[in-house]
Amino acid sequence: MTPPPLRDQLGRPLRTLRFSVTDRCNLRCQYCMPEEEYVWLPRKDLLSFEETAFLAARFAALGVRRVRITGGEPLIRIHLPELVKRLAGVPHIRDLALTTNGVLLADQAEALKAAGLHRITVSIDTLRPERFRSLTRRDRFEAVCRGIRAAREAGLAPLKLDTVVMRGFNDDEIVELFEFATAEEAEIRFIEYMDVGGATAWRPGLVFDAEAIRDVMRRRYGSVEAIPASDPAAPARRYRTPDGRAFGIIASVTEPFCRTCDRSRITADGRWFRCLYASEGTDLRGPLREGRTAREMEALIARTWSGRADRGAEERAALPDHERAPLFTASDLRSDPHQEMHTRGG
Ligand code: SAM
Ligand code: SF4
Ligand code: SF4
């Protein structure tokens, strides 16, 4: 008999886990890595693939069914398909996905698919090469486009595209990006610019919010109809245009969804964060390297999840606009890089 799912203080099950496999990245997106210099995690602290798969199995035994590999940029982690293969073999995991900026995807899509990856999400914020360069500080737009095509050709379906919409930066491309997604047989999700660690230039006025996005889509397509959620824990709310095409909005800033959140994140060095906004994480690498047994690790995870009461985005949303500022300054982030979005994994 399957045991009842493990629940936190707000009754939320442990279901979705994100593994950040590196804190490094080959882009410098303005909303994530705007600084010139970063403090990196020591390489000796990075979990091996064996350690990662061992942890995944402990989480799966306690209820995790969906795993997403992220970063930093996960495709710069050497031999990543090997990790995918190990994770695909963990019992009970029925959804294995990866989020990437797409720069290195053209070369890796087939190997990832062959290793057992189910789905992929590619982040793309603009279709204009010049703008891509100024948003990411790297000239890799064409490589991302090739990566998207390669993912589709490798059968990594359903393909998703993620776009962070920033007012005054790319809010004029919502319709074009939606049409691009259709042409690439992908579903696009528009993400509100969040005040997470790393977003040191965030301010309320730069958030192009969910209602504004729906409004752009309504003006272009006539109406947008909400699609009833098949999974209440999914971060994106989905909509349909009158011609039946779907898109999603992840409105973490103005319409947060903490009440149903079953997600948590493990950094590349084994720190487990129960919320994207949590200031403290639980060290899993230490006990693992001390030789704790599978049962002992599961007991630690179960105890920690049972105590979870985090509602980071809802708490931030309750603040009046004039009190909302970036979550951390660049100097806070240098003193603890675990607070960075590119370390925690988005
Ligand atoms: N490098 C990969 C990528 O960009 O897809 C994976 C890691 S990245 C941290 C994961 C996602 O977080 C990306 O879709 C990115 O756009 C999103 N992200 C990063 N900073 C953000 C912010 N301040 N607000 C909203 N989304 C953000
Ligand atoms: Fe951009 Fe992802 Fe790299 Fe952050 S981790 S800078 S979002 S590509
Ligand atoms: Fe989940 Fe925390 Fe994000 Fe809320 S802020 S949806 S609790 S990770």
Side-chain angles (χ1 to χ4, degrees):
M1 222 173 66
T2 355
L6 181 64
R7 296 204 178 257
D8 73 3
Q9 294 286 304
L10 302 178
R12 300 168 296 187
L14 175 70
R15 279 276 182 269
T16 305
L17 186 62
R18 297 188 178 185
F19 279 105
S20 170
V21 294
T22 177
D23 56 329
R24 292 164 195 251
C25 190
N26 45 5
L27 297 183
R28 288 290 181 274
C29 304
Q30 289 190 17
Y31 48 74
C32 180
M33 299 186 75
E35 313 303 327
E36 290 305 320
E37 300 283 339
Y38 283 93
V39 175
W40 308 110
L41 302 177
R43 282 180 192 269
K44 67 171 178 34
D45 289 351
L46 299 195
L47 298 180
S48 66
F49 290 167
E50 193 181 358
E51 288 170 329
T52 307
F54 176 83
L55 284 180
R58 309 291 58 84
F59 277 89
L62 293 167
V64 163
R65 297 293 172 263
R66 282 187 286 264
V67 167
R68 181 172 290 273
I69 299 169
T70 177
E73 174 45 40
L75 301 190
I76 64 178
R77 178 83 189 247
I78 192 151
H79 304 312
L80 189 72
E82 218 175 273
L83 175 66
V84 169
K85 195 167 173 198
R86 284 178 188 257
L87 292 175
V90 172
H92 309 303
I93 293 178
R94 54 167 195 253
D95 181 26
L96 181 58
L98 178 139
T99 303
T100 171
N101 61 30
V103 170
L104 300 174
L105 187 54
D107 284 344
Q108 298 193 32
E110 272 186 23
L112 291 167
K113 173 72 180 173
L117 188 70
H118 301 153
R119 316 188 276 126
I120 204 154
T121 302
V122 182
S123 303
I124 181 162
D125 301 323
T126 176
L127 297 173
R128 303 182 191 171
E130 268 310 306
R131 190 177 276 185
F132 184 93
R133 191 178 357 189
S134 79
L135 275 171
T136 67
R137 283 191 281 151
R138 301 288 185 270
D139 198 5
R140 305 309 304 274
F141 175 71
E142 292 302 334
V144 176
C145 293
R146 280 198 300 278
I148 292 171
R149 274 196 301 278
R152 195 186 63 228
E153 282 160 13
L156 284 164
L159 181 60
K160 286 194 181 138
L161 303 182
D162 274 5
T163 297
V164 177
V165 189
M166 290 171 81
R167 189 178 292 280
F169 285 79
N170 61 348
D171 55 294
D172 55 347
E173 286 190 70
I174 290 173
V175 166
E176 277 166 72
L177 282 157
F178 176 62
E179 292 294 336
F180 172 79
T182 304
E184 295 293 336
E185 297 167 34
E187 185 168 315
I188 193 160
R189 290 142 15 127
F190 298 107
I191 306 176
E192 287 180 347
Y193 178 25
M194 293 163 68
D195 53 347
V196 286
T200 48
W202 186 92
R203 50 177 211 275
L206 291 178
V207 179
F208 196 82
D209 65 40
E211 187 46 30
I213 295 166
R214 288 188 290 263
D215 201 45
V216 168
M217 295 297 282
R218 270 189 219 110
R219 273 189 278 128
R220 174 65 181 80
Y221 298 101
S223 64
V224 295
E225 181 199 353
I227 301 174
S230 55
D231 171 9
R237 290 209 194 146
R238 296 174 72 235
Y239 300 87
R240 196 184 286 122
T241 52
D243 58 8
R245 292 181 290 157
F247 66 96
I249 300 181
I250 303 183
S252 316
V253 178
T254 63
E255 298 164 7
F257 33 81
C258 301
R259 242 150 254 287
T260 55
C261 173
D262 63 4
R263 280 176 300 288
S264 61
R265 297 169 162 80
I266 299 183
T267 59
D269 65 344
R271 187 98 51 105
W272 179 32
F273 287 92
R274 297 174 299 175
C275 174
L276 192 51
Y277 287 86
S279 49
E280 300 295 326
T282 305
D283 175 34
L284 299 177
R285 183 186 79 252
L288 194 63
R289 292 190 178 168
E290 280 159 18
R292 301 286 168 83
T293 64
R295 295 298 147 258
E296 286 169 336
M297 291 304 292
E298 284 168 23
L300 168 64
I301 295 163
R303 238 184 1 260
T304 310
W305 187 262
S306 311
R308 176 186 191 245
D310 302 71
R311 313 164 34 247
E314 286 181 354
E315 284 167 5
R316 300 284 297 167
L319 294 173
D321 261 13
H322 67 272
E323 281 182 30
R324 276 191 94 165
L327 190 60
F328 298 112
T329 64
S331 97
D332 295 335
L333 293 167
R334 271 194 299 276
S335 63
D336 184 4
H338 288 97
Q339 310 288 12
E340 295 272 7
M341 180 76 151
H342 71 266
T343 307
R344 276 181 193 198

